[in-house]
Amino acid sequence: MFLRVVCCVVVVWLVPASYESCPELPPVENSIFVAMKEEGQILGIYVCIEGYHLVGEKSFTCNASGEWNTTTPTCQLGHCPDPVLVNGEPSSLGPVNVSEKITFTCNENYILKGSNWSQCMDNHTWMPPLPICKSRDCGPPGNPAHGYFEGRDFNLGSNITYHCEEGYHLVGTRDQRCIDGEWSSELPFCEFIQGTPKPTPQTAIEKVLFAFQEDKELCKAIQTFMQRLKENGLTMEDLKYSLEIKKAELQARHSAMML
């Protein structure tokens, strides 16, 4: 038996050849290496010192040509991937050793979703999983079919009110508030009132075009326009035909006024 200690993971190998037939493995920093020869086989172990972990293969074999089948591992400081928290900050930015714990805080106007602490485990993972920092402001709310909302501020504490088109009534919460990045209630829907005559194609087209008057933001107005076009069962050809009729009516009215 022989013992070799170098200021070098646990690697175990069984080699079906004599120790002398294979080249000596290089020392690995921050580890302890122990090798034993038993019944024509070699048992070797690399053990990283406290605070370091193995990176590389755990087992080695020596082939008939006297070559090792893999590269030598390394012992690296820390045990888990560096924690990343967008719009926040972990208590430690450097390498974290096994069993150590860190805590998390979010920047102003962001709220922590998940655990406010995590521990570095033996398998190189964080447990509980790393949290996220979510904005306390809300995104634009959805529009129910045959409905719309009033309100242009989507920040924390802002309010919106939902309405339905003529012939529909609202089912759900009408007034909602932005609370920690979420609207206070689920999106309501607009239910058709039985017995109410459905809008004529011309009325539907007018409602579609009205989207550009409701919202000053062009992108939002275009989204509302396309949504209402679909909701009313209209196509761009229907819209084009209607506008051509309107144009012809205006031209005829203008000609009559000039006479």
Side-chain angles (χ1 to χ4, degrees):
M1 179 186 297
F2 52 89
L3 173 68
R4 181 174 52 147
V5 179
V6 292
C7 210
C8 301
V9 96
V10 173
V11 179
V12 179
W13 67 89
L14 296 174
V15 183
S18 67
Y19 180 73
E20 293 76 10
S21 65
C22 291
E24 183 178 353
L25 288 170
V28 175
E29 293 184 356
N30 303 306
S31 79
I32 297 173
F33 174 80
V34 178
M36 293 179 294
K37 185 176 181 181
E38 291 184 354
E39 299 178 358
Q41 293 183 328
I42 299 297
L43 172 65
I45 302 174
Y46 276 116
V47 181
C48 295
I49 64 176
E50 185 176 359
Y52 291 80
H53 69 281
L54 175 71
V55 175
E57 295 293 333
K58 293 184 177 182
S59 60
F60 290 80
T61 57
C62 183
N63 59 29
S65 301
E67 297 175 345
W68 297 103
N69 69 328
T70 187
T71 56
T72 308
T74 60
C75 290
Q76 296 187 2
L77 181 66
H79 206 289
C80 282
D82 291 342
V84 177
L85 187 64
V86 179
N87 298 313
E89 187 174 343
S91 58
S92 176
L93 298 176
V96 180
N97 296 332
V98 63
S99 299
E100 290 183 351
K101 294 181 180 180
I102 59 174
T103 57
F104 306 95
T105 55
C106 292
N107 298 340
E108 186 177 1
N109 204 42
Y110 286 85
I111 185 171
L112 192 75
K113 295 292 185 180
S115 174
N116 66 348
W117 66 274
S118 189
Q119 183 176 20
C120 180
M121 309 303 289
D122 289 335
N123 61 355
H124 302 195
T125 62
W126 291 102
M127 190 58 64
L130 301 182
I132 61 172
C133 289
K134 184 177 180 180
S135 174
R136 301 185 70 184
D137 297 332
C138 294
N143 258 331
H146 305 291
Y148 58 96
F149 66 86
E150 290 181 341
R152 297 181 181 275
D153 183 7
F154 308 139
N155 296 330
L156 176 67
S158 61
N159 296 285
I160 59 172
T161 302
Y162 280 99
H163 301 277
C164 290
E165 299 173 355
E166 183 180 353
Y168 294 83
H169 71 92
L170 191 76
V171 178
T173 305
R174 182 178 300 275
D175 298 310
Q176 300 195 21
R177 185 178 182 85
C178 177
I179 303 174
D180 288 336
E182 303 286 346
W183 292 105
S184 56
S185 299
E186 295 182 357
L187 181 70
F189 65 93
C190 294
E191 187 176 65
F192 179 68
I193 301 174
Q194 297 297 327
T196 303
K198 292 189 176 181
T200 62
Q202 188 59 40
T203 303
I205 288 174
E206 290 174 356
K207 289 183 177 181
V208 169
L209 295 175
F210 189 63
F212 289 96
Q213 302 177 33
E214 288 181 321
D215 205 310
K216 294 180 181 180
E217 295 183 12
L218 179 59
C219 290
K220 181 63 177 178
I222 292 175
Q223 289 177 354
T224 305
F225 164 78
M226 297 303 296
Q227 181 177 349
R228 293 189 180 177
L229 195 69
K230 182 179 179 181
E231 290 170 358
N232 288 276
L234 299 172
T235 65
M236 292 298 291
E237 289 298 320
D238 296 329
L239 184 61
K240 179 181 178 182
Y241 177 73
S242 176
L243 292 175
E244 289 176 348
I245 292 177
K246 281 286 187 182
K247 179 180 177 181
E249 291 176 351
L250 290 174
Q251 287 176 341
R253 190 177 304 172
H254 179 72
S255 299
M257 291 176 63
M258 295 298 293
L259 295 177

